[in-house]
Amino acid sequence: MSYNRSISVSHDDVVVKPERGNMLQSISPRSHGSKGHPLPQDSEENRGSIGQSSTSVVDQVRSPADDAGVTSSSTICPAPVCRQFWKAGSYNDELSSKSQRPNGKNYLHVHPMFLHSNATSHKWAFGAVAELLDNAVDEIQNGATFVIVDKTTNPRDGTTALLIQDDGGGMDPQAMRNCMGFGFSDKKSDSAIGRYGNGFKTSTMRLGADVIVFSRHSKNQTLTQSIGLLSYTYLTRTGHDRIVVPILDYEFKVSAGEFKPLQDREHFISSLSILLEWSPFSTEAELLQQFDDVGPHGTKVIIYNMWLNSDAKLELDFDSVAEDILIEGSIKKTGSKIVNDHIASRFSYSLRVYLSILYLRIPETFKIILRGKVVEHHNVADDLMHPQYILYKPHAAGSGEAVVVTTIGFLKEAPKVNLHGFCVYHKNRLIMPFWQVINYSSSRGRGVVGVLEANFVEPTHNKQDFEKTVLLQKLENRLKEMTVEYWSCHCVLIGYQVNKKPRLQIPQNAQSAGRQAISPPPGFKAVFPQGNLTSLPRVSAEPVLLEKRKEHPDSVASAASKRKVGNDGFTVPGPDRVEQFIRGSASQSQDSETVKLMEKNKKLREKCLDHKVRSQNLEIKAMNIRSEIENAKSEYERLMGELQALGMVKGEHRRNVNA
């Protein structure tokens, strides 16, 4: 969807003459009178503000230059002084007399430099695009069925611009002011992605220096439409010391059968003059024409004067792929073709790939249309083989008991790819794609990917990371454990060898003792009868008393000195030695039971892995059989075709013979 029409407008096409009764004379085929329902006149303190609720943040101020009679002083909308985003933060507010000194009023103004510094939270251009799509996805509850992301053209100079349009509920005049202001958000639903009321400003200013918004809203049989301009170019070139946002509001009048302005005449003329000079459209008729494809409700956003990279090229590449938008210069071919073509590698520079995984779930009735083609939704969990589902219950203070189900498995391309990590979503929105929680210095963990939705941790403002809290650290530690546990149990299924732990080293004298009868110290009964040692596990074959004798050579003598003589004339060990012997025997018995259980568990695990390997082999055989069946079908169809051809030849030959 692009606007490539050629427009030739002279300076005299639109002229404002405040002294006349009519508000403006226009070449527009529509007639827009000055009557209607004007808003109340502003007080001196709030004059020029775009709404009482946002007076302290976004202002419309008028100057003698703004009230001039000519609404469009130039046929070309100027570009910003600096076209590179990361160098556009310098600002000079001494260029104009519009800088106003403090007048003691009890409200604050926001300096235009904040627009740039606020937008630096987006290091990645696609993150800014995703913010704008979030607004459209949040409108699904208001009936939105699509969002369009496309290239368009600035009709003033023919430069490339970015179009984002949806058919959601749209914005009424007050909502438009909240959108242009800072910190205003009416998204109270738990499922809404937006929260801070800052995403529109950061995202649009990160992608381009200027943005114009067209929105139409219908409620209670009242149809309104608003046009707003947020222009960093305008503010820097005119030297404003506060953010000025011109907004035009219209309401449909049934009696007149057309839209009428809502603002008072002076306010409307001031805003219109700024829009016609600094927006891509030089007449009011062209501005209103943008609503033709919006319908009864919806929003259209056009970002122009887009930023360039260090090579003086547009950051967003619209030309390399007709149905995609790429990040200029970000394609890196560092690995094998299977790695370079994988979604985990391509999402960083291909907008189509990134948008396909941006949302964990998306209704079938809603479509994301990029460059005229629908984006196919892709669930990363569908790319996993041998998947496991692990339940994690973090202790989220104040939010009840949270439950997270993580799907973890090997990529289907493993072990040919070394890609790994977790795709972590928050309220259905991808926050961290392929988050690497473990250092893969060796092959351990390669190809392991997981998908989870973590609503108990809060994302940062740019929605590309999470706030560094204790809950996030616990989640990271648990994901590390999941990766190691899954790898250890399943790596053999894709051809890796299990790294077995080294066995406990047993002293040489203990090994020889394990093959022979062990003579107990004087006064002690034989704990290990001859012939039974070989049946015990090697780890527990070494008796505790032998270790003590080795460490304390005088332990036997000490024991002999403590012996007593019983009534039957036999020597018996002292009470301390008897108690120690009983504890040692009980401990050895428990160790033996533990070892038996571990051995049993090991056998069961080996049996389970064997079944999995057999299952995988059966799947491969089934796949081969299906392939053979397909080949047989193809061969059968080919032979049938030849048979039919032969039948036709025979019939023709027979006719020739008869003739």
Side-chain angles (χ1 to χ4, degrees), residues 480-612:
K480 290 179 182 179
E481 295 174 358
M482 289 183 191
T483 304
V484 175
E485 292 170 359
Y486 181 86
W487 170 267
S488 300
C489 294
H490 300 83
C491 65
V492 295
L493 298 177
I494 61 171
Y496 287 107
Q497 298 295 327
V498 181
N499 296 326
K500 296 182 178 180
K501 295 181 179 180
R503 291 186 176 182
L504 182 65
Q505 297 294 331
I506 301 177
Q508 185 66 28
N509 59 349
Q511 293 180 3
S512 60
R515 293 188 295 268
Q516 302 173 359
I518 300 177
S519 301
F524 286 83
K525 296 182 180 180
V527 181
F528 303 102
Q530 187 175 3
N532 292 337
L533 274 177
T534 55
S535 62
L536 293 175
R538 295 182 63 186
V539 175
S540 59
E542 183 180 356
V544 178
L545 291 178
L546 290 181
E547 284 292 330
K548 289 185 177 279
R549 285 188 62 184
K550 185 175 180 181
E551 295 176 3
H552 306 284
D554 59 340
S555 61
V556 177
S558 176
S561 63
K562 293 181 179 180
R563 283 181 294 168
K564 296 181 180 179
V565 178
N567 296 329
D568 54 358
F570 291 96
T571 58
V572 297
D576 294 339
R577 180 66 71 174
V578 170
E579 183 179 356
Q580 181 180 1
F581 168 74
I582 294 173
R583 287 200 304 267
S585 300
S587 176
Q588 292 167 5
S589 176
Q590 293 177 0
D591 290 344
S592 177
E593 289 294 328
T594 302
V595 170
K596 290 180 180 178
L597 291 175
M598 291 177 64
E599 290 292 333
K600 186 176 181 180
N601 186 27
K602 182 179 179 181
K603 292 179 180 179
L604 291 174
R605 181 176 296 178
E606 290 176 353
K607 190 175 181 180
C608 179
L609 291 177
D610 182 60
H611 283 301
K612 287 185 177 181

Side-chain angles (χ1 to χ4, degrees), residues 139-309:
E139 286 296 306
I140 293 177
Q141 60 183 348
N142 295 325
T145 61
F146 68 83
V147 59
I148 296 172
V149 183
D150 207 345
K151 172 186 176 182
T152 186
T153 303
N154 185 339
R156 294 256 195 178
D157 54 14
T159 57
T160 298
L162 179 66
L163 168 70
I164 298 178
Q165 180 177 343
D166 66 73
D167 65 339
M171 294 179 285
D172 60 18
Q174 185 58 47
M176 174 69 81
R177 284 152 177 76
N178 291 344
C179 174
M180 294 295 188
F182 292 87
F184 297 95
S185 177
D186 56 358
K187 298 178 180 180
K188 307 301 182 183
S189 172
D190 292 337
S191 61
I193 303 171
R195 173 178 178 181
Y196 300 106
N198 196 38
F200 176 81
K201 279 72 63 177
T202 60
S203 56
T204 54
M205 293 295 99
R206 173 63 184 86
L207 296 171
D210 310 290
V211 59
I212 186 168
V213 183
F214 303 87
S215 190
R216 182 174 283 173
H217 177 76
S218 178
K219 185 177 181 181
N220 298 330
Q221 297 183 349
T222 300
L223 182 62
T224 60
Q225 62 187 27
S226 300
I227 307 172
L229 176 70
L230 185 60
S231 174
Y232 189 64
T233 304
Y234 161 61
L235 298 172
T236 54
R237 283 186 173 271
T238 55
H240 277 83
D241 67 343
R242 66 190 68 186
I243 296 176
V244 179
V245 181
I247 295 180
L248 301 179
D249 297 317
Y250 299 86
E251 182 178 349
F252 185 79
K253 299 299 181 181
V254 178
S255 58
E258 59 183 2
F259 283 91
K260 298 288 187 178
L262 279 175
Q263 290 107 323
D264 63 272
R265 186 186 64 172
E266 185 181 4
H267 195 168
F268 182 87
I269 293 174
S270 174
S271 299
L272 180 61
S273 64
I274 300 174
L275 275 162
L276 297 185
E277 182 175 359
W278 298 93
S279 79
F281 310 101
S282 56
T283 67
E284 186 188 15
E286 292 178 13
L287 286 171
L288 296 175
Q289 189 179 358
Q290 300 305 308
F291 288 102
D292 290 349
D293 60 347
V294 172
H297 49 78
T299 301
K300 176 191 289 188
V301 177
I302 299 176
I303 303 171
Y304 58 103
N305 285 330
M306 301 185 69
W307 298 115
L308 308 179
N309 60 17

